[in-house]
């Protein structure tokens, strides 16, 4: 079966965001590669951007959350767009509460986590980095 691994673009704060995500999910980074680690004459990076993240990966369960900083030469990422959300299925209400409360800290709660008519314990928010998340627990 295929595995889906979300990938997020950031405007220079990928490391800060992933340090925060690691504090909520736990675990260790699988990879941290900075632009300065892969110099390329075809794609020159300024000194200002050399420490930014080219690739970062945090294993979470059977998936991996990945990201990078978008170099300024490629423009800004619109952090307020509503094109996608990261959906988390949890194993318990306690895990749902822990992840919802941890990840939404400093963010904007769009749907408070609660029992929903369709049988899920569910909530939705935008974290302090502008990333949208949905947390869901459905008892069997």
């Amino acid at each position: 079966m295929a595995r889906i691994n979300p990938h997020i673009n950031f405007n220079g704060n990928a490391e800060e965001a992933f340090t925060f995500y690691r504090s909520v999910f736990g675990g260790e980074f699988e990879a941290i590669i900075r632009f300065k680690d892969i110099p390329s004459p075809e794609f020159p990076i300024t000194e200002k951007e050399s420490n930014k993240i080219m690739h970062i990966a945090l294993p979470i369960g059977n998936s991996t959350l990945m990201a990078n900083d978008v170099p300024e030469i490629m423009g800004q990422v619109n952090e307020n767009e509503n094109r996608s959300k990261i959906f988390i299925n949890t194993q318990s209400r306690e895990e749902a509460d822990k992840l919802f409360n941890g990840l939404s800290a400093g963010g904007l709660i769009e749907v408070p986590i609660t029992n929903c008519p369709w049988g899920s314990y569910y909530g939705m928010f935008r974290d302090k980095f502008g990333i949208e998340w949905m947390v869901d627990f459905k008892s069997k």
Side-chain angles (χ1 to χ4, degrees):
M1 173 65 114
R3 191 172 84 172
I4 296 174
N5 297 303
H7 187 279
I8 307 167
N9 292 316
F10 287 91
N11 287 320
N13 60 342
E15 187 168 14
E16 177 188 1
F18 267 61
T19 298
F20 172 71
Y21 299 152
R22 183 179 63 186
S23 76
V24 175
F25 286 106
E28 295 300 324
F29 295 129
E30 182 178 272
I32 299 177
I33 303 169
R34 298 181 190 285
F35 284 109
K36 68 181 179 185
D37 297 332
I38 53 159
S40 166
E42 298 87 37
F43 190 65
I45 296 294
T46 65
E47 180 65 30
K48 176 182 169 189
E49 295 190 304
S50 66
N51 247 355
K52 289 185 178 178
I53 300 296
M54 187 272 188
H55 177 74
I56 190 166
L58 178 64
I60 301 170
N62 292 327
S63 297
T64 302
L65 183 62
M66 298 177 283
N68 67 280
D69 287 316
V70 176
E72 289 176 8
I73 193 168
M74 297 177 77
Q76 288 274 305
V77 174
N78 181 352
E79 293 175 346
N80 293 314
E81 65 184 23
N82 290 309
R83 295 188 319 162
S84 61
K85 296 183 180 351
I86 299 174
F87 191 92
I88 304 171
N89 288 102
T90 64
Q91 300 297 312
S92 68
R93 279 180 74 100
E94 294 76 21
E95 181 183 30
D97 284 332
K98 176 183 180 260
L99 295 177
F100 185 92
N101 293 331
L103 290 168
S104 67
L108 174 65
I109 294 175
E110 297 169 342
V111 176
I113 195 159
T114 189
N115 291 316
C116 294
W118 58 85
S120 286
Y121 183 63
Y122 171 87
M124 183 170 63
F125 58 92
R126 183 182 295 270
D127 72 21
K128 64 185 177 182
F129 301 101
I131 305 303
E132 295 181 276
W133 298 81
M134 296 183 286
V135 176
D136 182 81
F137 169 67
K138 188 166 190 160
S139 61
K140 293 168 176 65

